[in-house]
Amino acid sequence: MKKLLQFSTYGIKNIEKMITLDFANQTIERGVHKVNNVKGIFGYNGAGKSAIITSIDYYNKIVCNPNFLIQNETKDNLSKLINFVKNEFYISTIFEYDNNTVLKHTIKIVKDDVLSDFVISIENISISAGRTFNDKFKTIIEKREEGIYIEDKFKNTLEQNYTCSLNDLKYNSIVQYIMQKIIDYNKDSNKKNFSILDKIILSLYSNINNILVYMQESDKHNNYKISNEILNELINKVEKKPASLNNFYDVYINDTIVLKTEYNKYESENKKLEKFIKYFKPDLNEILLIPSENRDVYNVRKIFVYNNYRVEFEFESSGIKQLVNLYSYLEKCARGKIVFIDEIDTNINAVYFEKLISFFKKYGKGQLIFTTHNIEAMKALKNQSRSIVVLGVDNNLDTWISKGNKSPINDYTNGDFPNSPMNIEDFDFINIFMGEDE
């Protein structure tokens, strides 16, 4: 999979102005380099850290889930999530593509006053081989309010091969729609010729599909996506070499219903989970799996066996539950996924947390982007450019730049980030908790 190079958004929750996270040097003429595989987002309570994670979560679902926007739950959630000042939700991503080339994808969601539904008002797929991300991108396909623009050299592919009716798309992403057309057109396993457009859409879709989002209040695995086996087969054809199965490994160890065909993978993953949990809970002996057969699936109970007692996962501590839920996402990030995690540090010992982040910085194959209040993570990130960002006043981002022996923790606690002044002292709480007369 290709790396995420830039991510911009506004219009979700309290994010009113554009927030942009950069993951690589802006210069691309000699190839993309110095890509961040870890980025920590710090800041005030309520600054908008969780809104950033929510934004990428909805982007992933809008692109990868057909008709996601027309689901009642989605409409209800968006009516509460879209910022009431902006009245629109915008997100843009830039991914590596080929050699010195990058792909940019932009979507804008608005509420249709006539239909009372949320629709895709603007979508743009463009490509750049310029010197930097800021150079002009060349539009391939764009959905505009007045209609659809398609670059001339791609019109035949869309009209003859796929008979696309892009003008009718209100709720489905162009990327998802064309991707499904590519799959239908290439069902014949003997077909080996892919157009330039095929390769662009496949690359863009597979990169967005490669994003995983973990938020504590919502533990959904997006199993509605185009099957990983189909994507794997198409990538094999395009690249003419086997794709890494690690990128498509989608067994989640916190699932309780497992396909029989996936159970061996599930058992293997459980053994690795045991080793992971033992670092945090050394008295754990094993995690015992008890499957019960139900047609083509197993219903699985997990029993945590300790030296002097055993407990079902349902009744485990919140800390252990959090670690189990996080494990699948961290494991997939280590193998190549782009993983966004909200409040990653909850219930994790600060020392272990720092070591965990250090692992992903040094050895992880994917990208890990997380929000946290645990400033100890800054220690592990301080020597990697652009890895520490602080979301401050009015959605302004400060990026910490390493200089000599300077400490990001000291800068943060001393209020040296321009948009995040820590203008509070211990005695400021006297009037709040003790009253003016005490």
Side-chain angles (χ1 to χ4, degrees), residues 152-244:
D152 288 340
K153 70 178 181 180
F154 297 124
K155 285 183 178 178
N156 286 339
T157 301
L158 288 171
E159 293 171 0
Q160 295 178 13
N161 292 359
Y162 305 137
T163 60
C164 289
S165 301
L166 299 179
N167 283 302
D168 297 333
L169 288 177
K170 288 185 176 67
Y171 307 107
N172 288 340
S173 164
I174 291 172
V175 177
Q176 198 280 334
Y177 181 74
I178 298 179
M179 185 67 209
Q180 191 61 60
K181 293 287 186 179
I182 292 171
I183 290 171
D184 294 340
Y185 185 73
N186 288 279
K187 282 182 178 177
D188 182 354
S189 60
N190 293 321
K191 292 182 184 294
K192 295 181 180 179
N193 295 321
F194 286 81
S195 70
I196 296 173
L197 181 61
D198 290 344
K199 294 177 181 179
I200 288 171
I201 296 297
L202 177 57
S203 177
L204 190 54
Y205 181 90
S206 60
N207 287 331
I208 299 168
N209 182 78
N210 200 41
I211 294 171
L212 291 176
V213 180
Y214 177 76
M215 304 184 75
Q216 292 186 51
E217 70 273 15
S218 177
D219 188 23
K220 299 177 181 177
H221 307 314
N222 302 340
N223 293 324
Y224 44 71
K225 295 178 181 179
I226 292 171
S227 84
N228 289 332
E229 288 75 17
I230 291 174
L231 285 177
N232 194 33
E233 182 180 350
L234 287 171
I235 291 172
N236 285 346
K237 289 182 179 180
V238 170
E239 297 184 352
K240 298 180 181 179
K241 62 181 180 180
S244 171

Side-chain angles (χ1 to χ4, degrees), residues 302-315:
K302 282 191 282 292
I303 310 295
F304 285 67
V305 181
Y306 297 93
N307 292 335
N308 299 315
Y309 69 98
R310 56 176 57 195
V311 60
E312 291 214 30
F313 177 67
E314 181 184 356
F315 301 103

Side-chain angles (χ1 to χ4, degrees), residues 115-360:
L115 300 173
S116 295
D117 283 340
F118 292 95
V119 298
I120 299 173
S121 65
I122 294 174
E123 183 171 10
N124 178 285
I125 303 164
S126 53
I127 192 166
S128 176
R131 294 185 65 252
T132 72
F133 293 166
N134 295 322
D135 288 345
K136 188 175 182 179
F137 279 73
K138 183 177 182 179
T139 294
I140 296 169
I141 303 174
E142 183 173 40
K143 178 183 179 181
R144 304 166 178 168
E145 294 179 356
E146 63 271 22
I148 298 289
Y149 164 82
I150 304 171
E151 188 183 350
D152 288 340
K153 70 178 181 180
F154 297 124
K155 285 183 178 178
N156 286 339
T157 301
L158 288 171
E159 293 171 0
Q160 295 178 13
N161 292 359
Y162 305 137
T163 60
C164 289
S165 301
L166 299 179
N167 283 302
D168 297 333
L169 288 177
K170 288 185 176 67
Y171 307 107
N172 288 340
S173 164
I174 291 172
V175 177
Q176 198 280 334
Y177 181 74
I178 298 179
M179 185 67 209
Q180 191 61 60
K181 293 287 186 179
I182 292 171
I183 290 171
D184 294 340
Y185 185 73
N186 288 279
K187 282 182 178 177
D188 182 354
S189 60
N190 293 321
K191 292 182 184 294
K192 295 181 180 179
N193 295 321
F194 286 81
S195 70
I196 296 173
L197 181 61
D198 290 344
K199 294 177 181 179
I200 288 171
I201 296 297
L202 177 57
S203 177
L204 190 54
Y205 181 90
S206 60
N207 287 331
I208 299 168
N209 182 78
N210 200 41
I211 294 171
L212 291 176
V213 180
Y214 177 76
M215 304 184 75
Q216 292 186 51
E217 70 273 15
S218 177
D219 188 23
K220 299 177 181 177
H221 307 314
N222 302 340
N223 293 324
Y224 44 71
K225 295 178 181 179
I226 292 171
S227 84
N228 289 332
E229 288 75 17
I230 291 174
L231 285 177
N232 194 33
E233 182 180 350
L234 287 171
I235 291 172
N236 285 346
K237 289 182 179 180
V238 170
E239 297 184 352
K240 298 180 181 179
K241 62 181 180 180
S244 171
L245 290 174
N246 291 334
N247 288 325
F248 304 99
Y249 195 78
D250 57 359
V251 171
Y252 287 80
I253 196 60
N254 53 329
D255 286 339
T256 57
I257 300 175
V258 183
L259 288 171
K260 288 182 178 179
T261 55
E262 300 292 318
Y263 191 71
N264 287 340
K265 291 181 183 177
Y266 189 85
E267 286 185 311
S268 174
E269 202 66 13
N270 186 66
K271 290 297 181 184
K272 291 192 290 183
L273 173 65
E274 281 182 6
K275 295 178 182 178
F276 178 70
I277 298 297
K278 282 180 180 180
Y279 281 116
F280 303 89
K281 193 79 170 170
D283 60 335
L284 176 69
N285 290 328
E286 67 171 324
I287 301 175
L288 182 64
L289 300 180
I290 303 180
S292 58
E293 195 169 347
N294 184 6
R295 296 186 180 181
D296 58 346
V297 303
Y298 288 117
N299 295 319
V300 182
R301 294 167 54 206
K302 282 191 282 292
I303 310 295
F304 285 67
V305 181
Y306 297 93
N307 292 335
N308 299 315
Y309 69 98
R310 56 176 57 195
V311 60
E312 291 214 30
F313 177 67
E314 181 184 356
F315 301 103
E316 260 290 5
S317 68
S318 60
I320 295 299
K321 286 181 177 178
Q322 167 79 344
L323 288 170
V324 172
N325 289 335
L326 277 176
Y327 170 78
S328 288
Y329 293 84
L330 296 175
E331 189 272 342
K332 289 166 180 55
C333 182
R335 292 177 177 271
K337 293 283 187 179
I338 302 168
V339 177
F340 286 75
I341 298 179
D342 192 32
E343 298 185 5
I344 190 176
D345 57 304
T346 304
N347 296 312
I348 299 180
N349 174 283
V351 175
Y352 283 28
F353 178 59
E354 182 189 343
K355 300 300 182 185
L356 196 61
I357 298 306
S358 182
F359 162 80
F360 282 99

Side-chain angles (χ1 to χ4, degrees), residues 3 22-25 34-40 42 357-364 366-370 377-389 399-403 406 408:
K3 293 295 180 91
D22 290 311
F23 297 90
N25 286 356
K34 293 185 178 179
V35 181
N36 287 145
N37 56 349
V38 181
K39 186 180 285 289
F42 303 81
I357 298 306
S358 182
F359 162 80
F360 282 99
K361 188 183 76 169
K362 294 178 181 179
Y363 307 110
Q367 289 174 281
L368 177 64
I369 303 95
F370 62 88
M378 291 182 175
K379 291 180 181 178
L381 298 177
K382 70 176 185 178
N383 294 323
Q384 183 169 284
S385 180
R386 296 179 303 277
S387 283
I388 298 172
V389 295
T399 300
W400 193 81
I401 306 298
S402 177
K403 292 181 180 179
K406 286 191 69 178

